[in-house]
Amino acid sequence: MTTQVVDRTTAVRLEAVSKVYGHGGNGLLALDKVSLSVRPGEFVCLLGASGCGKSTLLSLVAGLDRPTQGEISTAGRQVAMMFQEPALFPWLTVSANVEMAFRADNLAKRERRIRAGEFLEMVHLGGFGKKRPHELSGGMRQRVALARALAQSSSSSSSSSSEGGAVLLMDEPFGALDAMTRDLLHDELERIWREQALSVLFVTHNVREAVRLGDRVVLLSSRPGSVVEEFPVELARPRRTDSAEVAGLAATITDRLKEEVLRHGH
Amino acid sequence: MAVDTHARQLAGLDALELAGEQRAGVASRAWARLWPMLTAVALVLVAWELVVLSGRWPEYVFAGPITTFQDLGHRLGDPEFYQAVATTMRRAVTGFALAMLVGLIVGAAVSRVKVLRAAFGALITGLQTMPSIAWFPFAILLFGLTESAITFVVILGAAPSIANGLITGVDYTPPLLLRAGHVLGFRRLQLYRHVILPASLPSFLAGLKQGWAFAWRSLMAGELLVIIAYQSSLGEQLAISRELSDSPGLIGTMIVILVIGIVIDMLFEAADSALRRRWGLNPV
Ligand SMILES: Nc1ncnc2c1ncn2[C@@H]1O[C@H](COP(=O)(O)OP(=O)(O)OP(=O)(O)O)[C@@H](O)[C@H]1O
Ligand SMILES: [Mg+2]
């Protein structure tokens, strides 16, 4: 690849980003002058009420949609995304779905299959490579999507294009999982994030999950979405979701979140 | 580790479920599909015999089922019959294959390029509604009484449906999958190849099925109109039977045409349901 100019201080930067859906009088202001940045290797969690524009924000960062106003930059980094729905291709097997993440790499087919298998092991779906997505449960499909996103963000093309690791966007990735599986996947995600020096933007409704994972928790207001407050999380890792420190900070953030929701509750 | 056993248990359950589904009575399922058909055939035969018995037409104009099937039985032992079927099927397959090629190219181009769609979208739908027999005088003028005339009309009959099937499939590609493809780094042709084309397969298959029906109709019309000397075909046999007032032969040939149509339709049906099973699109 050509020498990319890599910004060493920010991996993702949003500057006064606004997004309007629709036109004219009946346009809907989904995001209002959101400014936010993620440092390389930082894990940022986004919290906010339903409909406040979290998914909108992620798709803007992923380049799936354009902001109405403002600037977005991912500094030439590879951007992987895990959607709120699994978004798997029904015509491919589970393994082939994950292999799609290596399309850009010059890997032999066998090599791709083996690497896909490794990522499936990671989400505890090692034996399911030959199945079709519709044969899995909802939670299992989410795990396949996670495997695909992780595979993409650690694929060789992403680590060679810039010294900083890839950007990983995750939209409520663990919403459909039981608590035990979720804890295990938190550990896996944390491990890969460290190893690959990923910059993560993680959307969740679960305040404890946000505190468990994030270096920073960003609270969004609703209608229109804008940043209300940021909470740095200075607890030592590894953290546990059920520890007192996590619960304590989660309670503080929950109170602030309630205030925000009530303000809009009329 | 707890999750590992959990996953293994799940895998076991999954395997059981799949195996059970396949075992449970291939025979009984086949019978469940077969008996309504057999009943329908029996009813038609009875009605047919009743009409003949009513004496509205003399037996040599409207042969009954027994005479007809005896006659058909004799012809099944005659090599000329198989030559006729082979000629017709060769034309059908060639015409349909060419129509598929044309349909694919036109469909792909029109679904990709906005200007082409604006220009030809409505025209393709218009062609689809045009009775293909209306093309024959023109085709004969262009190609004479040759096989090319028949092939020309078969293509014109089938290609618009095939193209439209593809275009519809492309239009209805789930946006979420497009977004997923985009995030995975696919652009333009790559996106087309890895996401849009596979996603439009069910609709394309429906277009093929409809295209086949049109091709088959056009072909029969063509064989009745364009009779090529020394080349026996199903349509030609219809025409000859009529000229010779050979009622059992005429009805027998019609039955053969019907059966071929049904068999091929069943093939398309089987392909469609195999696809639905693989994708998990089956209704409950
Ligand atoms: N394509 C679209 N067209 C019009 N309006 C949209 C579109 N997508 C989202 N919206 C609107 O924008 C707002 C934000 O939607 P978004 O999906 O970003 O919310 P969210 O924060 O992800 O919610 P949730 O937590 O429920 O997933 C909502 O009011 C929604 O109705
Ligand atoms: Mg959302």
Side-chain angles (χ1 to χ4, degrees):
Chain A
M1 297 249 143
T2 51
T3 42
Q4 285 271 8
V5 183
V6 177
D7 189 335
R8 286 173 193 283
T9 54
T10 52
V12 179
R13 194 170 63 222
L14 289 91
E15 237 164 294
V17 168
S18 301
K19 176 69 189 173
V20 180
Y21 284 115
H23 301 279
N26 46 18
L28 177 115
L29 182 61
L31 291 176
D32 186 23
K33 300 199 191 70
V34 173
S35 294
L36 178 69
S37 64
V38 181
R39 286 189 302 276
E42 193 184 19
F43 201 125
V44 173
C45 291
L46 275 179
L47 275 174
S50 181
C52 75
K54 303 180 296 295
S55 299
T56 302
L57 194 151
L58 289 197
S59 51
L60 290 178
V61 175
L64 293 170
D65 209 347
R66 269 187 205 155
T68 314
Q69 258 169 31
E71 294 281 329
I72 296 182
S73 134
T74 51
R77 287 177 161 81
Q78 158 106 332
V79 179
M81 178 164 181
M82 189 181 164
F83 294 89
Q84 199 163 353
E85 303 85 23
L88 301 174
F89 302 113
W91 55 87
L92 297 176
T93 62
V94 163
S95 170
N97 263 288
V98 179
E99 284 165 43
M100 286 293 235
F102 307 122
R103 277 275 151 202
D105 300 352
N106 267 329
L107 286 180
K109 192 159 175 46
R110 230 179 74 82
E111 190 68 22
R112 280 207 296 256
R113 169 132 340 130
I114 292 170
R115 299 215 44 199
E118 287 165 9
F119 282 97
L120 283 172
E121 285 290 346
M122 226 175 263
V123 297
H124 303 279
L125 287 174
F128 289 82
K130 290 212 171 76
K131 292 246 178 281
R132 304 251 159 201
H134 72 92
E135 294 174 287
L136 305 184
S137 73
M140 289 155 104
R141 272 176 241 163
Q142 277 292 2
R143 276 142 71 195
V144 177
L146 174 65
R148 185 174 67 182
L150 291 177
Q152 196 198 351
S153 47
S154 54
S155 86
S156 64
S157 62
S158 68
S159 46
S160 68
S161 70
S162 60
E163 296 142 65
V167 172
L168 177 57
L169 309 172
M170 308 178 86
D171 201 346
E172 300 182 35
F174 304 136
L177 299 181
D178 61 280
M180 195 176 61
T181 313
R182 195 183 308 169
D183 280 347
L184 279 161
L185 292 180
H186 284 166
D187 296 344
E188 293 289 357
L189 176 60
E190 195 169 43
R191 186 174 65 75
I192 295 173
W193 161 66
R194 279 257 184 78
E195 279 176 16
Q196 311 279 344
L198 302 178
S199 314
V200 182
L201 202 48
F202 186 104
V203 168
T204 177
H205 284 291
N206 185 332
V207 184
R208 280 186 182 222
E209 181 174 58
V211 176
R212 156 74 184 82
L213 291 169
D215 292 325
R216 192 153 44 107
V217 177
V218 175
L219 202 62
L220 289 183
S221 68
S222 343
R223 260 157 251 202
S226 59
V227 176
V228 186
E229 197 167 336
E230 302 196 7
F231 300 85
V233 186
E234 276 146 2
L235 307 174
R237 296 177 192 263
R239 305 169 186 152
R240 290 173 49 92
T241 312
D242 49 10
S243 72
E245 295 94 330
V246 168
L249 182 50
T252 316
I253 298 177
T254 307
D255 285 345
R256 188 70 185 82
L257 185 61
K258 272 193 192 135
E259 239 174 74
E260 195 50 42
V261 172
L262 284 179
R263 209 164 57 75
H264 288 272
H266 307 294
Chain B
M1 293 82 267
V3 168
D4 275 353
T5 38
H6 188 61
R8 237 176 288 135
Q9 278 169 353
L10 266 178
L13 280 177
D14 230 12
L16 271 180
E17 214 169 89
L18 288 178
E21 202 177 302
Q22 274 162 2
R23 290 283 142 71
V26 172
S28 78
R29 240 181 351 185
W31 176 243
R33 278 199 60 179
L34 211 59
W35 76 259
M37 285 192 223
L38 291 177
T39 313
V41 170
L43 280 176
V44 169
L45 289 179
V46 168
W48 178 4
E49 181 64 37
L50 284 178
V51 173
V52 173
L53 283 180
S54 77
R56 168 74 177 74
W57 292 280
E59 171 85 25
Y60 63 86
V61 173
F62 190 3
I66 296 167
T67 341
T68 303
F69 281 106
Q70 269 172 355
D71 182 77
L72 194 56
H74 284 144
R75 279 168 66 203
L76 288 180
D78 179 1
E80 203 202 318
F81 169 75
Y82 294 100
Q83 267 168 27
V85 173
T87 307
T88 298
M89 290 317 289
R90 178 176 49 72
R91 290 173 179 165
V93 170
T94 322
F96 186 65
L98 288 172
M100 203 161 122
L101 195 69
V102 173
L104 252 177
I105 294 171
V106 172
V110 168
S111 62
R112 282 282 302 156
V113 187
K114 265 212 184 93
V115 186
L116 287 182
R117 161 155 339 200
F120 295 111
L123 186 63
I124 292 173
T125 312
L127 276 180
Q128 211 177 344
T129 61
M130 176 149 169
S132 57
I133 197 164
W135 281 101
F136 269 108
F138 182 57
I140 292 172
L141 208 64
L142 287 184
F143 297 101
L145 289 175
T146 63
E147 198 153 314
S148 304
I150 299 178
T151 311
F152 176 74
V153 179
V154 168
I155 294 174
L156 275 172
S161 299
I162 299 175
N164 249 345
L166 183 59
I167 295 170
T168 313
V170 170
D171 286 353
Y172 286 91
T173 303
L176 183 63
L177 296 185
L178 284 177
R179 290 156 67 84
H182 197 275
V183 164
L184 285 167
F186 298 133
R187 299 289 183 276
R188 295 169 174 280
L189 272 183
Q190 290 245 318
L191 196 64
Y192 211 74
R193 176 166 161 239
H194 292 295
V195 181
I196 299 174
L197 279 187
S200 46
L201 199 59
S203 168
F204 180 61
L205 203 59
L208 280 184
K209 187 175 154 176
Q210 196 187 48
W212 165 260
F214 281 127
W216 190 235
R217 286 178 202 190
S218 312
L219 179 60
M220 286 308 131
E223 289 189 341
L224 278 172
L225 287 176
V226 182
I227 290 171
I228 301 164
Y230 309 115
Q231 212 174 42
S232 183
S233 67
L234 285 176
E236 181 242 36
Q237 292 204 340
L238 278 183
I240 290 180
S241 297
R242 203 215 55 180
E243 266 165 35
L244 303 178
S245 294
D246 172 15
S247 174
L250 185 72
I251 300 174
T253 309
M254 284 169 64
I255 291 173
V256 171
I257 294 171
L258 182 69
V259 168
I260 293 178
I262 291 174
V263 167
I264 294 190
D265 194 71
M266 276 161 74
L267 291 182
F268 277 111
E269 202 62 46
D272 187 57
S273 68
L275 184 84
R276 290 180 167 278
R277 212 170 327 111
R278 275 159 71 92
W279 289 32
L281 294 174
N282 274 335
V284 197

